[in-house]
Amino acid sequence: MTLTDEQRAIRDVVRDFAREEIRPTAREADETQSFPEDVWDGLAELDLTGLTVPEKYGGYDADPVTASVVYESVAYGSLAVATALSVHGLATSCIRSFGSPSQQERWLPEMADGRPVGAFALSEPHAGSNPAAMTTEARREGDEYVIDGEKQWITNGVRSGVIILFAKTDRDDPDSVTQFLVPKDVDGLTVGETEDKLGLRASDTTSLTFHGVRIPAENRLTEEGRGLSAAFEILTGGRVAIASQAVGLADHALEEAIDYSQEREQFGGPIADIQSVRHTLAEMAARTESARRLTRHAARERAAGADDAPMAASMAKYVASEAAMDVTNDAVQLHGGYGYVTEGEVERLYRDAKITEIYEGTTEIQKTVIARHLLD
């Protein structure tokens, strides 16, 4: 699918940044489970931390297709960095879409500059795929809301300075979910230990516990009871972002496999001369490009406000995440023993790929969404 001249230029700039600045930090960041803050500052200098922020607040104000291109290109360098950026983008999107003018003026210029980092707190220990079952409550007391509850699997949980929180205004009413803006430095908010994960290890994932946290009533972003519909609207874009990242990851794995197959010699020549290897590379390329085209289609549907944009986003996330798993698996196989050890790239890519089938709605949830649109 054709990109504009501007979109191609952005893609090339971000891909160069991914190769030169992100990739050299990726292995150490994975091993030490530490986020490369210098890389984040570099993304800010490229205006990418303001990707979904309006220009009047200092943001880039990218359309959905351009945002997809950026997330794909950042993930081409590191999925952990791309995930942190896309969650930050979810937070700024919520403030942009549902915040008052004063909330936007207060938070968006600073977030466009990269600090504070945004987090998106929807999932709970017993309410992951079913957010209506959440138990976190925000009770109205005069001009304040008092928040109690726990959130889990929060990307940027440690690094963030502002949290987009989903809570019920009545714990017993599943229709009372509401969206709030919570500064990280409030009293009563506890950040849990960083999760020790299979992949995506440079991206901090934590729990957040709210115990008697008080915020001004003006920090409510949506009307009471409108939080879930707001979440689903924002998550359509989030699923396109994850699909884009899965494509970038697969593209990196494909590149590693092509290079290795041309360098590694067996049976008197490079393994790229072996037909089965050539066929595997062809299959990897076809899966990656198919996922890219479906993802770009989903981004265009979202840009157009099409009725089937949620289904297109779920299709893109489903197909692209499966492609990422298949392509990274093939890359490990083509590398043989070298693909199984940590000194190479593809072992980390393989571990990272799994999360694309889980976060922002599991593969099973995407199938449910797709089927619902088909049958309804």
Side-chain angles (χ1 to χ4, degrees):
M1 291 181 146
T2 304
L3 299 176
T4 66
D5 290 343
E6 181 180 358
Q7 288 166 342
R8 283 194 294 271
I10 292 168
R11 176 198 61 195
D12 293 344
V13 167
V14 180
R15 280 222 164 193
D16 287 345
F17 182 82
R19 288 192 193 95
E20 297 168 10
E21 304 295 334
I22 300 179
R23 283 192 188 177
T25 70
R27 182 186 300 175
E28 181 179 358
D30 177 80
E31 291 174 350
T32 61
Q33 301 190 55
S34 59
F35 191 86
E37 295 295 346
D38 288 346
V39 166
W40 186 261
D41 294 337
L43 293 172
E45 290 176 6
L46 292 174
D47 293 331
L48 300 185
T49 50
L51 196 62
T52 61
V53 175
E55 290 182 1
K56 67 178 180 178
Y57 297 121
Y60 189 87
D61 199 14
D63 64 273
V65 176
T66 301
S68 174
V69 169
V70 168
Y71 290 133
E72 176 188 323
S73 300
V74 175
Y76 176 71
S78 165
L79 185 67
V81 173
T83 297
L85 182 64
S86 69
V87 170
H88 179 75
L90 283 179
T92 56
S93 292
C94 288
I95 298 171
R96 171 183 182 156
S97 297
F98 310 114
S100 66
S102 61
Q103 289 169 333
Q104 293 173 1
E105 290 172 6
R106 163 66 182 87
W107 293 100
L108 289 181
E110 293 181 358
M111 295 178 77
D113 288 340
R115 317 279 177 179
V117 176
F120 189 84
L122 178 62
S123 295
E124 296 188 1
H126 304 290
S129 295
N130 181 20
M134 71 176 61
T135 59
T136 299
E137 184 178 22
R139 304 181 310 278
R140 183 72 181 255
E141 292 187 2
D143 293 332
E144 294 182 317
Y145 282 92
V146 182
I147 305 168
D148 289 285
E150 183 180 4
K151 296 295 180 178
Q152 195 168 27
W153 316 124
I154 307 305
T155 297
N156 297 338
V158 174
R159 302 177 58 244
S160 59
V162 61
I163 300 159
I164 304 303
L165 173 73
F166 294 82
K168 290 178 177 176
T169 54
D170 180 347
R171 183 172 294 183
D172 297 323
D173 182 1
D175 295 325
S176 69
V177 176
T178 305
Q179 188 180 138
F180 299 90
L181 187 156
V182 182
K184 186 75 167 298
D185 59 359
V186 293
D187 293 334
L189 173 57
T190 303
V191 179
E193 294 293 324
T194 301
E195 300 287 352
D196 189 7
K197 307 186 297 293
L198 170 70
L200 212 69
R201 292 168 65 82
S203 173
D204 58 295
T205 305
T206 63
S207 62
L208 298 174
T209 302
F210 300 82
H211 183 68
V213 170
R214 291 181 175 271
I215 59 171
E218 63 190 30
N219 280 27
R220 191 187 71 208
L221 289 176
T222 64
E223 295 178 9
E224 291 190 1
R226 294 289 302 277
L228 273 189
S229 60
F232 294 148
E233 178 182 332
I234 294 299
L235 286 176
T236 296
R239 286 167 179 170
V240 175
I242 298 302
S244 306
Q245 294 167 45
V247 171
L249 178 69
D251 214 15
H252 185 181
L254 172 61
E255 181 182 272
E256 294 289 335
I258 291 171
D259 290 346
Y260 183 79
S261 70
Q262 292 173 322
E263 296 168 359
R264 175 65 169 170
E265 293 197 359
Q266 287 286 299
F267 309 110
I271 62 172
D273 290 342
I274 301 171
Q275 187 180 60
S276 61
V277 172
R278 298 169 76 88
H279 285 183
T280 297
L281 292 172
E283 291 166 0
M284 294 166 70
R287 289 193 186 103
T288 302
E289 186 59 25
S290 296
R292 177 181 288 114
R293 288 173 180 265
L294 186 55
T295 300
R296 297 266 172 86
H297 167 73
R300 287 187 168 90
E301 290 293 278
R302 182 166 181 265
D307 290 342
D308 67 349
M311 181 175 71
S314 287
M315 283 184 171
K317 184 183 183 297
Y318 165 47
V319 170
S321 62
E322 296 284 307
M325 279 302 300
D326 289 343
V327 171
T328 55
N329 180 66
D330 286 342
V332 170
Q333 191 70 21
L334 285 177
H335 278 72
Y338 292 105
Y340 198 69
V341 295
T342 58
E343 66 184 70
E345 287 282 286
V346 294
E347 177 267 348
R348 175 175 54 82
L349 300 180
Y350 179 69
R351 286 189 288 106
D352 282 353
K354 184 59 188 176
I355 192 60
T356 65
E357 296 182 315
I358 298 173
Y359 61 6
E360 297 280 359
T362 63
T363 294
E364 291 73 20
I365 289 296
Q366 305 315 318
K367 291 178 181 179
T368 298
V369 172
I370 295 165
R372 183 187 303 129
H373 280 271
L374 292 174
L375 297 173
D376 290 348

